[in-house]
Amino acid sequence: MGGYYLCGTPRAQHPFYIESIGIHIWSIEELCYYMKENVYLLDETILNEKLCAWLSEELGLKKLVRVLLNALEAGGPAMDFVMPIIQECGYLTRTELSYFREQLQQVQIESQDVRKKMKADYLVNYGMYVRAIGEYENILFTRSPGRIGTQFYATVLENMAAAYAHLFRFEEAAECLWESYSTLKSRKVYDKYLRLLPLFLPEKRYQERLAEIKADRDHAAAMKADTAAILREARESRFAKEWDALPAKERLAELKKEYLKMSQG
């Protein structure tokens, strides 16, 4: 716990559920940790009266809750709600607290699209792919290239492709990558696109697509070989062997659990 000053507040009898990433927290220390690590997820989905009720009823922090309710009523920035929580039990050192305040201030001055993208990127890291895709789609629906620049939206499309790929929706992922490449002509994105094509196109259609985009056949073959090597390595990995050794019932339960997590919208 180096650098953290924990106050040892009681654990709640009933946890608070953070819906955005699907986790439960049991104490104000855990809440502070979540806030410190996820500044772009601090929005109305957690900074609300429901959290206030939990802090009051489960942790008995009634004085703090009065401050938080006043902040909600005033309709100020997220910082006015978050900082009293962080300061309640001295969770951060003075230096860490100053840095955290600067992070919150930076978030406040960023454009809405940048905040949405960062939120979506965080959701991808937590495996909440469907929710992330929804955030990316909202950005693209209201895009204004003159305000931020086409490179930003090309990156959004690239990251959205990654979320689709995690869901094994390779065709949608490829569509995102091609649109991103068409916008910015990034070689990195182009190579990702070539690597994806063999994962969902039959061989005949794959060859037709290479002809349509005038792909260098040797380079395309190298990208296809990369994909095959990655799949082969995955099949031979320790994780794959441990997975194959699990009883079918346990595998099914794990798949169901992971699917439910990934598909939460």
Side-chain angles (χ1 to χ4, degrees):
M1 289 290 184
Y4 296 141
Y5 301 102
L6 303 185
C7 61
T9 55
R11 278 173 63 86
Q13 289 190 338
H14 304 94
F16 182 78
Y17 181 64
I18 300 179
E19 187 176 351
S20 60
I21 62 171
I23 65 167
H24 291 91
I25 58 171
W26 296 83
S27 68
I28 191 171
E29 288 88 357
E30 291 176 3
L31 176 60
C32 289
Y33 177 81
Y34 172 82
M35 289 180 164
K36 173 180 174 289
E37 297 296 319
N38 299 283
V39 290
Y40 284 95
L41 297 181
L42 301 180
D43 56 21
E44 68 281 354
T45 63
I46 185 171
L47 310 182
N48 52 40
E49 291 183 358
K50 184 178 178 182
L51 177 61
C52 291
W54 180 77
L55 289 168
S56 176
E57 296 167 9
E58 292 291 333
L59 301 183
L61 299 171
K62 300 187 184 303
K63 183 178 179 180
L64 170 64
V65 167
R66 285 196 294 272
V67 174
L68 301 181
L69 289 174
N70 287 337
L72 287 178
E73 186 176 353
M79 180 184 297
D80 294 346
F81 189 99
V82 174
M83 290 306 295
I85 295 174
I86 294 292
Q87 294 170 320
E88 175 67 20
C89 65
Y91 182 74
L92 302 180
T93 65
R94 184 176 301 177
T95 300
E96 290 169 333
L97 188 64
S98 177
Y99 177 69
F100 181 67
R101 184 182 287 108
E102 289 175 6
Q103 285 185 297
L104 290 175
Q105 290 171 338
Q106 179 61 35
V107 171
Q108 285 178 202
I109 65 175
E110 287 173 343
S111 71
Q112 186 177 34
D113 280 354
V114 169
R115 292 198 300 270
K116 284 182 178 180
K117 177 190 173 294
M118 292 302 299
K119 178 180 179 179
D121 293 346
Y122 273 54
L123 292 172
V124 167
N125 290 336
Y126 280 110
M128 311 298 285
Y129 304 120
V130 172
R131 286 184 180 167
I133 289 169
E135 293 291 337
Y136 291 134
E137 286 179 337
N138 286 337
I139 296 169
L140 297 171
F141 183 74
T142 59
R143 75 178 83 179
S144 177
R147 188 173 66 245
I148 298 180
T150 56
Q151 182 174 352
F152 172 80
Y153 295 103
T155 302
V156 169
L157 285 161
E158 183 182 357
N159 292 5
M160 187 173 172
Y164 272 124
H166 279 293
L167 294 170
F168 303 101
R169 293 168 62 175
F170 299 122
E171 187 167 2
E172 290 98 328
E175 289 173 357
C176 291
L177 288 175
W178 187 252
E179 186 177 349
S180 176
Y181 172 71
S182 299
T183 301
L184 208 58
K185 303 301 180 190
S186 164
R187 183 61 180 232
K188 180 187 72 170
V189 172
Y190 181 71
D191 286 351
K192 286 182 179 181
Y193 178 76
L194 290 179
R195 288 187 178 97
L196 268 185
L197 292 180
L199 294 177
F200 68 93
L201 288 180
E203 183 62 24
K204 180 180 178 182
R205 180 64 191 120
Y206 169 71
Q207 295 298 334
E208 290 173 349
R209 182 56 183 158
L210 294 183
E212 290 168 0
I213 64 175
K214 298 180 174 58
D216 178 275
R217 295 306 176 111
D218 290 339
H219 183 66
M223 296 299 98
K224 187 177 183 180
D226 281 352
T227 298
I230 291 170
L231 293 175
R232 183 168 57 253
E233 183 178 338
R235 286 193 295 268
E236 295 171 357
S237 68
R238 176 183 172 186
F239 173 80
K241 292 176 181 177
E242 291 175 351
W243 176 258
D244 289 339
L246 286 175
K249 188 175 181 180
E250 288 186 32
R251 277 187 283 176
L252 181 60
E254 283 297 319
L255 285 171
K256 182 178 180 181
K257 178 182 177 181
E258 189 65 18
Y259 174 79
L260 290 173
K261 176 185 176 182
M262 292 189 302
S263 60
Q264 286 184 26

